Every structure is written in C-alpha cells, then in structure tokens.
Amino acid sequence: MPLARFINSYGQLPANCFVRMAPESVSSPKLIKFNNSLADDLMLDWADLCPDTLTKVFSGNQVPDTADPMATAYAGHQFGNFVPQLGDGRAILLGDVSDQGGRLYDIQLKGAGRTPYSRSGDGRAALGPVLREYLISEAMHALGIPSTRALAAVSTGDMVYREDRLPGAIITRVAASHLRIGTFQYFAARRDLNTLRQVADYAIARHYPDSLQTDNPYLALLDQVIDAQASLIAKWMNVGFIHGVMNTDNMTISGETIDFGPCAFMEAFDPATVFSAIDQHGRYAYGNQPRIGQWNLTRFAETLLPLISDDQDQAVNKATDQINSFSSRFRSYWLNGMRTKMGLNDHKADDLDLANELLTAMQIGQVDFTLGFRNLGDAQSEKGRERFLNLFAQNGPINQWLEKWLSRQRKENLNPILVREKMNRVNPAFIPRNHMVELMIADAVAHNRFDRFEDMLAIVSRPFDDQPEFSHYADPARPEERVRRTYCGT
Ligand code: AMP
Ligand code: MG
C-alpha cells in the first residue's frame, strides 16, 4: 500500500531552494507516540498500518514511496546577526499532503540526520527537546493558537552528545508550510530575484491566494503576513507564551508558531521574563515579543522591495506604511484578547487602561498569569473574589481595579454565570508548566517512562476544562521547583 499521496509541491521550485536527500537511518527505533487524530485530519490512512511500518517511517528508516525527501534552504537573523546560510541542518521534508478541506500540510522529520546545511551539528535531536516540542505544540493548538503540530515521536536507539550523552529521538512535525522569513532572506541576500519571485508566488498560492485579486500581490503578501503575525504574537501575549528564539528563520510566512526550543509559559506576571539560556540580554523576553515581531517583519519587507515596485522609493514607501501598521494591528488584536479574558463585551475608550491596570496590579502582586485570569472568572461572587485576591502577594491596586471591573460588569448587565463560562473558554486552567515539563522529560530520559508525558498531553489537550483530578498540574511551581533556564538542546 502506498503511504499517503504526497504532493511534493516544494520540489517544483528552482533547484537552489533545496537539496534532495533521504533521512539517515537509525539503529533501533521505537515509536513513542503517534497522533491518530491529526493523521485522520490529514486523511493519512496510516492508522491502519502496522506499528512497525509507522516506526520505520517516522524514524527515517523507510521513505514512503511517493515522498520527495529534501532539506530546504534558508538564511536568517539570529539574535540580530545575519547568517546568509542556515537551512534544514537536521530536518528532512518528506513532502506535503492535503487535508479534508484541500489545504496543504508539510510533513517533516526533525532530527533526521546530517544534511549539507548541518554546519558543525550532528543532524540529530535529543529525546527531551522532542518531547517538549510535541507537548507544547499540541498545547498551543488546543489553546487555539496557530502552531505546527506533532504527528509522531520516535526514539532512535542512538545516543547524541550535547553537554551530556542523551538518548536521541525524532519528531515528525506538520506545518501549513515551512516557509520562513529566512527563506526569503536566503534569495534576497544572493540577489536571486528570479527564485525570490517564484518563492513569493508559491507563498501567495499556498497561503494568501486572495493577494492575486489586488493591484500589487507582493504588497498584499506583506500585508497579510504582517496581519497573521500581529494576530499570532497577540495570542502568545494573551496566554503568557515566550517563544525564546524569535530569529527570522523561526518566523513563518503562514502565521503559525514554529520551532519550540527553549520556549516556556510565564508564571508570575513580569514582562521582563526570559527563560532561554542562550538569550543572555533578554532580546526575546516576554514583553519584547511584539517589537521583535515588527523588527523581523521589517527584514521580510526588505526582501520584497524589488518585487513590490521597480521604483525603489515607491517600494520603500509602500512597505514602510505596512510595517508602521504593525503596532496598531497588534494592539487591536491584543486588546480584543484582553477584553475576552476580562469577560467584557462592549468596546469602551478606557479598555486599554483597564487591561494595563490589571496587569500592573498582577505584576505588583506577583500573581501567576494563568491562575490570575482563570480565577477572575469567579470574582463576581464574594467567595470567588476572596480566592482571586488570595493570589496577590499584597493587595495594592487590585482592590481599586476590582471595583472598576465590577461596575463595568454591572453596566454591561450580563449574566454572571454566562460571563464566567465565556471567560473559562479563553482563560486556560492548564498550560504546560515548565517545572512539570522538566519532570516529564526527566522521567523519559532517565527512566524511559512516558506516563507523565501521556498524562500531560491529555491534560493540555483540554486546557479550558477543570480537571480536578489533575489539579497539581494547574499549580505554579513552588520556589524550590522553579525552572529559570530552558535549553534548545540542539
Ligand atoms: P534552531 O535554533 O533549531 O532554529 O536552528 C537554527 C539552525 O541550526 C537551523 O539551520 C538548524 O537546522 C540548525 N541546527 C540546529 N541543531 C542542529 C543539529 N543538531 N545539527 C545540525 N544542524 C542543527
Ligand atoms: Mg529554526
């Protein structure tokens, strides 16, 4: 039986966009997890295959007949410095498949061995980061945040050498595409206008076909990528997600979150929060993410200038207007998110103040971001209010804020039970808390035990449901449990 009908659209781009090659084989692969429901959505008839075949496919030991495996080329700004050649140093794109709605999805093995883009790397991934990516990308999806998905995880039976000797693994990731800002930068840096145009046309056809109805499709592409990223980063900010490595090669054209390296969810609210061990200056701190998003989009706009107009001044003016619109678009997405988090329906002039005052009070009170919003849903009743206030280390400005919020709720005259229900559908009870993620990884790496991984995956796949039996997964880390640094593991 052929394994899926791969479409292999990327292979139709010019030959300098990729290097065709199969994954390197591994010694004794074991299937850790297969995402059946995602496979169904993608109409992959793989669920019927024997586990042995799945293990071979997801370890790279067997390439599906119709696949056209390749490593793709891209460049990127890493921590502000331009690197003209990065590319898939440890990932192999098998090809793309179509879901039930006719949308295309890439299927890619990450950790599949060395490629011409590996530089000094070994082309492999360690088990810990693979499980982290699996869990957090699925959590993001369940939270309603555009994200690449996890289709499978396998252990390879081979060891990888980082600071420690670690078990190796491969994650199979599914993405609306793997086009990144860095893909455009690769061809712009080489002044290869011909390939750049073909990549842009491909991006338009795949993600933003409406652009073709406008006078200037490349400007429309820029417009829509800016919009998708403004919306995405607003969603991150609304759940306290910190990506950790917002390099331009880790920012998609589709508007999906990609590359879950040292990412983490913030606990006590503080915009300066940084987890990533490699982010020494806090470039990618929680509160900087919108600004960095705009900076990255500016790099994207630069690559498109020659396509937008032959007249450079005109191209720059048009692109600059687009880039300048990022802040107001982001603010509007973010504020809409905050309104629903606060259980407000109407749009009022002082909503922005109300949102910011709440965050200030949470920061002063050192309140856990997730619990704070989850408990706010109960704060219309006296008892619930007490529980909400108990989260604050000191009461400070929160009492005043609550008065304002309650009077606003009364003015909107909404049914408190319905308001609470609505708030609970946007304010998660469960996020993948960092200290629990670390425990889950330690269980797997040191003891080859995956029950905590399975538990956490089940819990964060229903983030808005109260799951009283798992309430300890909803609790913030105690001081001695706190994880301050997260690692890429690359
Ligand atoms: P990342 O930090 O995962 O976004 O990766 C940045 C670049 O480094 C990409 O070009 C990756 O393909 C490459 N890279 C990361 N880890 C490895 C590895 N173990 N072997 C080869 N290349 C890698
Ligand atoms: Mg990357």
Side-chain angles (χ1 to χ4, degrees):
M1 173 162 64
L3 284 165
R5 317 126 321 266
F6 281 99
I7 293 161
N8 302 316
S9 61
Y10 211 74
Q12 284 159 31
L13 285 168
N16 52 342
C17 291
F18 50 80
V19 175
R20 285 203 164 87
M21 58 179 298
E24 269 177 347
S25 56
V26 304
S27 62
S28 77
K30 291 207 170 57
L31 188 62
I32 298 168
K33 189 75 189 165
F34 173 56
N35 190 337
N36 262 308
S37 91
L38 177 58
D40 280 349
D41 292 346
L42 296 176
M43 297 193 301
L44 298 174
D45 32 22
W46 294 3
D48 305 331
L49 293 175
C50 65
D52 191 42
T53 308
L54 289 178
T55 309
K56 282 187 186 142
V57 169
F58 294 129
S59 64
N61 283 3
Q62 178 183 333
V63 174
D65 310 336
T66 60
D68 181 17
M70 59 176 65
T72 70
Y74 54 86
H77 275 90
Q78 297 189 308
F79 291 89
N81 304 308
F82 186 62
V83 184
Q85 178 165 313
L86 289 167
D88 291 327
R90 53 167 174 165
I92 295 289
L93 176 66
L94 292 179
D96 44 341
V97 297
S98 155
D99 76 354
Q100 323 210 350
R103 281 174 300 257
L104 298 184
Y105 286 91
D106 280 1
I107 300 186
Q108 190 205 54
L109 307 183
K110 182 169 162 187
R114 287 183 53 82
T115 77
Y117 305 111
S118 295
R119 295 172 292 161
S120 58
D122 61 0
R124 293 299 181 187
L127 176 60
V130 162
L131 295 180
R132 176 186 280 273
E133 170 152 358
Y134 198 117
L135 182 76
I136 299 188
S137 65
E138 287 300 299
M140 293 295 269
H141 172 73
L143 288 164
I145 301 176
S147 172
T148 63
R149 304 280 310 273
L151 182 61
V154 294
S155 57
T156 59
D158 301 319
M159 301 306 280
V160 297
Y161 297 86
R162 301 292 181 260
E163 266 158 38
D164 297 315
R165 183 171 172 268
L166 296 165
I170 297 175
I171 183 164
T172 301
R173 115 175 133 187
V174 171
S177 86
H178 284 87
L179 291 171
R180 315 136 190 275
I181 291 179
T183 315
F184 287 74
Q185 289 182 293
Y186 183 89
F187 300 104
R190 286 162 180 73
R191 305 198 186 285
D192 181 351
L193 200 57
N194 175 39
T195 310
L196 183 73
R197 188 185 303 276
Q198 293 190 60
V199 169
D201 290 343
Y202 178 86
I204 288 171
R206 188 155 174 180
H207 299 298
Y208 304 108
D210 294 351
S211 306
L212 294 173
Q213 313 303 323
T214 67
D215 304 340
N216 192 330
Y218 303 113
L219 189 64
L221 171 65
L222 176 61
D223 171 45
Q224 297 193 71
V225 175
I226 289 174
D227 211 71
Q229 286 291 343
S231 163
L232 177 68
I233 297 171
K235 289 191 161 98
W236 292 355
M237 302 302 281
N238 286 150
V239 295
F241 177 75
I242 306 171
H243 182 285
V245 210
M246 286 177 73
N247 294 335
T248 55
D249 52 305
N250 292 338
M251 204 156 162
T252 57
I253 299 305
S254 66
E256 282 182 345
T257 314
I258 197 168
D259 259 0
F260 297 83
C263 60
F265 285 79
M266 178 173 57
E267 295 205 303
F269 178 76
D270 179 358
T273 308
V274 178
F275 286 104
S276 168
I278 54 170
D279 190 3
Q280 279 158 6
H281 304 288
R283 178 180 170 92
Y284 300 140
Y286 171 79
N288 280 349
Q289 296 186 121
R291 215 171 317 144
I292 291 292
Q294 186 175 28
W295 191 88
N296 289 348
L297 290 162
T298 308
R299 306 288 81 78
F300 180 50
E302 286 164 359
T303 71
L304 293 179
L305 291 176
L307 302 181
I308 289 172
S309 173
D310 292 335
D311 177 336
Q312 203 189 342
D313 290 342
Q314 224 184 55
V316 169
N317 286 339
K318 286 183 170 158
T320 305
D321 286 348
Q322 283 291 340
I323 291 295
N324 288 341
S325 72
F326 175 86
S327 308
S328 63
R329 297 198 222 192
F330 167 77
R331 203 175 320 114
S332 153
Y333 283 122
W334 177 82
L335 187 55
N336 277 337
M338 286 297 287
R339 275 194 196 96
T340 58
K341 287 179 82 66
M342 295 188 292
L344 303 176
N345 252 356
D346 301 344
H347 291 213
K348 290 263 157 63
D350 60 356
D351 288 351
L352 183 62
D353 288 343
L354 197 65
N356 281 329
E357 283 163 22
L358 172 58
L359 293 178
T360 304
M362 284 173 78
Q363 187 172 0
I364 293 171
Q366 296 163 42
V367 174
D368 181 81
F369 187 76
T370 305
L371 278 190
F373 279 100
R374 185 71 179 186
N375 285 13
L376 181 62
D378 293 325
Q380 292 179 87
S381 77
E382 207 159 313
K383 229 171 144 190
R385 198 143 57 237
E386 214 178 286
R387 240 181 311 133
F388 173 72
L389 286 172
N390 277 341
L391 297 172
F392 288 74
Q394 68 246 32
N395 275 356
I398 192 60
N399 285 314
Q400 242 182 328
W401 184 87
L402 265 179
E403 288 309 316
K404 266 198 208 174
W405 179 72
L406 286 167
S407 97
R408 177 67 190 275
Q409 289 287 352
R410 280 191 291 269
K411 267 189 215 140
E412 291 205 3
N413 199 19
L414 301 166
N415 177 333
I417 295 170
L418 293 182
V419 170
R420 177 181 181 277
E421 256 177 34
K422 236 173 122 175
M423 288 173 75
N424 281 358
R425 283 202 297 270
V426 292
N427 294 323
F430 295 94
I431 50 162
R433 289 188 182 270
N434 220 359
H435 63 297
M436 298 308 278
V437 173
E438 297 288 339
L439 280 182
M440 174 279 282
I441 290 175
D443 273 2
V445 172
H447 309 294
N448 200 33
R449 286 187 48 178
F450 296 93
D451 29 338
R452 204 187 288 273
F453 169 70
E454 292 285 350
D455 279 353
M456 283 189 82
L457 187 60
I459 294 165
V460 300
S461 298
R462 299 164 47 205
F464 301 110
D465 295 351
D466 289 315
Q467 302 171 61
E469 67 280 26
F470 290 119
S471 63
H472 59 295
Y473 282 94
D475 295 336
R478 293 189 299 271
E480 70 277 14
E481 294 174 319
R482 228 166 262 160
V483 178
R484 286 173 216 286
R485 287 282 163 265
T486 50
Y487 297 85
C488 279
T490 51

